[in-house]
Amino acid sequence: MMRKKKGTIFKLLSLFLFLGLSAGDYGIGVGIGDGGVWVGGGGNPNSDPGSAPKQQTNAAYSALQSWKSAITEDPSGVLKTWVGEDVCSYRGIFCSGSSVIAIDLNKANLRGTFVKELSLLSDLTILHLNSNRFSGQIPDSFRNLDSLQELDLSNNRFSGSFPQVTIYIPNLVYLDLRFNSFTGSIPENLFNKQLDAILLNNNQFTGEIPRSLGYSSASVINLANNKLSGEIPTSFGITGSKLKEVLFLNNQLTGCIPESVGLFSDVEVFDVSFNSLMGHVPDTISCLSEIEVLNLAHNKFSGDLPDLVCSLRNLINLTVAFNFFSGFSSECSRVSVGFDFTGNCIPGKGYQRPQPDCSAIPGASLSCLRIPAQPLTCAAILGLKAASSP
C-alpha cells in the first residue's frame, strides 16, 4: 500500500512541478497522512506539529540546515520557513512520508553555495534550482545521490570547468546547466551516459564537440551559444538514437554536416545556424521524415538545396538565409509557414548577395562525402539504424 501511495505522490509532485505552481510561492507540500495522500502548503494537515519531528530523519534536517547556513541572500524570505525539525514543512521541499524526494526553489533569487551535506538526502529525486544566484563548486559528494534523476542548475552563476561529478550521479536522466559561465571542454564521457536531456547552451564551453556525441541516448541535445569549434563528429547519428531536438547554433563550427545526419529519423528540430559550416547540404537530410524546423542560416553552404529536402512532409519552417546557395527546387515554396532564402546567390531572386560576393564561394574546394538520397537510400539508412539499436 505504501508503494502505491509513493507512486501517486510522485505523479502529483511531477504535475505540480510541471505546472510551475511551486516556483512562485513554494508553498506546496506532499506527503502521507492518516487519511492518505495530502497536498498543501506547509505541514501535514492530518498530523499535529508535535508528531512531525518524529517523522523526519536527522540526516535531512542536518543537510538542509547546513545548506541554509551557506545561503547568504534570500530576498523573498523563502528560508524563513526552514525552522525546526519538520523539514517537510519547509517551503520548496517535497516529501513522501518523512523522506525528502524533491527540492524546487526555481526563481527564488537565492545567493549562496552548495554544501557536501546535501548528499545525505538519499531519497532526493528532483533538484530544481533555476534562476537563482548559486555559485562555487558542485560537491563531489553529489555522486552519492543515488535517487537523483533531474538536476536543473540553469540560470545561476556557476563557473569553472564542466562539473564532472554530474556524470557520476548514477540515475541522472535530465541535466540542465544552461545560462551559467562554465568554461573549457565538454568531457568525452558525457555522451556515453544514459541521459534523456543534455542542456549546456549559453555557457562558454570551448574546444571540439566530443566524438562520442553519436553514442548519446538523449532526445534533446542543446549546445547553442557557446564557443565550440571544429567539425561536427562523423559519429553523429551512427547509433540511431532517438534525438528529437539538435541545437548547435551560434558556435564556431566548421566543415561539413555529416551524411550520417540522415539516421536521425525522429528528429523534429535541427538548428546549426550562425556557424561557419561549408560545402553542400547532405542529401540524407531528406531522410528526416519527422523534421519540422530546419535552420541552416548564416553559414557558408553552397550549391543547390537538395530537391528532396523541401519535399519533407512535416517541414513547416526552412531557413537557409545568408549562405551561398545557387538554386533550389520549386518544392521549397510550398513549406507551410516559412522559407527564408534571403542573402544567397540565387539568380533571379530578390534580396540576394551582390554578384562579386558570389564569385568567390567559401569552401568551394571543400570535399564532403556525398551519398545521393533516394527512397531506397533512406530505407537502407533506417535499416542500419534498426540494426545498431539495442
Side-chain angles (χ1 to χ4, degrees):
M1 184 63 179
M2 183 64 71
R3 182 177 298 176
K4 182 176 181 181
K5 287 181 179 179
K6 281 191 175 183
T8 303
I9 287 169
F10 187 78
K11 291 178 182 177
L12 285 171
L13 173 60
S14 300
L15 174 61
F16 278 112
L17 293 181
F18 176 76
L19 293 175
L21 295 178
S22 62
D25 50 20
Y26 318 102
I28 297 171
V30 182
I32 299 175
D34 295 335
V37 177
W38 58 270
V39 179
N44 186 339
N46 294 318
S47 62
D48 63 87
S51 66
K54 299 176 184 178
Q55 298 174 348
Q56 311 309 319
T57 63
N58 291 332
Y61 175 76
S62 175
L64 294 175
Q65 289 301 315
S66 294
W67 190 24
K68 179 181 178 180
S69 67
I71 296 175
T72 57
E73 292 184 17
D74 176 20
S76 301
V78 173
L79 302 184
K80 290 180 180 179
T81 66
W82 287 30
V83 178
E85 296 182 356
D86 184 6
V87 295
C88 295
S89 68
Y90 295 2
R91 288 184 180 178
I93 304 300
F94 297 82
C95 291
S96 172
S98 60
S99 298
V100 174
I101 60 171
I103 298 175
D104 180 10
L105 292 171
N106 290 344
K107 301 181 182 178
N109 198 23
L110 298 171
R111 180 176 182 175
T113 58
F114 285 158
V115 294
K116 63 182 181 180
E117 288 82 2
L118 285 172
S119 64
L120 297 174
L121 302 174
S122 57
D123 294 316
L124 188 67
T125 303
I126 295 173
L127 181 57
H128 286 180
L129 298 174
N130 78 60
S131 303
N132 284 283
R133 290 176 289 154
F134 287 108
S135 60
Q137 301 294 314
I138 300 173
D140 192 58
S141 60
F142 268 40
R143 68 178 64 207
N144 297 322
L145 293 171
D146 293 345
S147 299
L148 190 62
Q149 296 181 23
E150 295 187 15
L151 179 61
D152 182 356
L153 304 180
S154 61
N155 197 19
N156 277 279
R157 296 181 178 179
F158 292 106
S159 59
S161 59
F162 182 93
Q164 285 274 359
V165 64
T166 59
I167 298 176
Y168 300 104
I169 300 174
N171 292 301
L172 193 68
V173 294
Y174 179 94
L175 178 62
D176 190 347
L177 302 178
R178 295 175 293 172
F179 294 96
N180 281 285
S181 298
F182 289 113
T183 58
S185 60
I186 297 173
E188 188 84 22
N189 54 349
L190 172 65
F191 297 107
N192 293 324
K193 185 172 177 61
Q194 296 298 303
L195 293 167
D196 184 62
I198 301 173
L199 307 176
L200 306 183
N201 54 290
N202 294 82
N203 280 281
Q204 298 177 36
F205 288 117
T206 56
E208 297 186 355
I209 298 175
R211 290 172 294 176
S212 59
L213 172 70
Y215 301 97
S216 175
S217 61
S219 62
V220 179
I221 298 179
N222 192 340
L223 306 181
N225 301 314
N226 281 287
K227 298 177 181 179
L228 299 170
S229 58
E231 300 184 358
I232 298 174
T234 54
S235 67
F236 191 47
I238 206 67
T239 61
S241 72
K242 296 294 184 181
L243 261 176
K244 297 286 187 183
E245 297 184 18
V246 180
L247 300 161
F248 294 165
L249 62 146
N250 197 24
N251 279 284
Q252 301 165 13
L253 301 176
T254 57
C256 310
I257 295 178
E259 291 285 340
S260 55
V261 69
L263 289 167
F264 289 123
S265 57
D266 296 324
V267 76
E268 297 171 357
V269 177
F270 185 79
D271 191 339
V272 293
S273 60
F274 292 93
N275 281 286
S276 296
L277 297 168
M278 299 180 182
H280 66 273
V281 174
D283 291 349
T284 53
I285 282 185
S286 64
C287 299
L288 305 182
S289 58
E290 301 300 320
I291 197 162
E292 298 176 2
V293 176
L294 177 59
N295 194 342
L296 308 177
H298 292 271
N299 279 285
K300 299 176 182 179
F301 293 116
S302 58
D304 288 345
L305 189 65
D307 293 352
L308 292 173
V309 170
C310 295
S311 301
L312 290 166
R313 64 178 185 273
N314 291 310
L315 189 63
I316 58 177
N317 190 287
L318 174 61
T319 305
V320 297
F322 296 97
N323 281 284
F324 291 85
F325 288 112
S326 55
F328 60 84
S329 165
S330 59
E331 280 290 323
C332 294
S333 60
R334 67 143 200 96
V335 178
S336 61
V337 173
F339 173 45
D340 185 358
F341 59 89
T342 57
N344 279 281
C345 299
I346 303 172
K349 301 294 182 181
Y351 303 102
Q352 299 296 294
R353 292 180 181 275
Q355 184 56 40
D357 290 356
C358 298
S359 60
I361 296 175
S365 60
L366 183 65
S367 178
C368 300
L369 173 66
R370 189 153 201 172
I371 303 175
Q374 300 296 331
L376 287 177
T377 307
C378 290
I381 287 175
L382 294 177
L384 174 61
K385 173 180 176 179
S388 61
S389 298

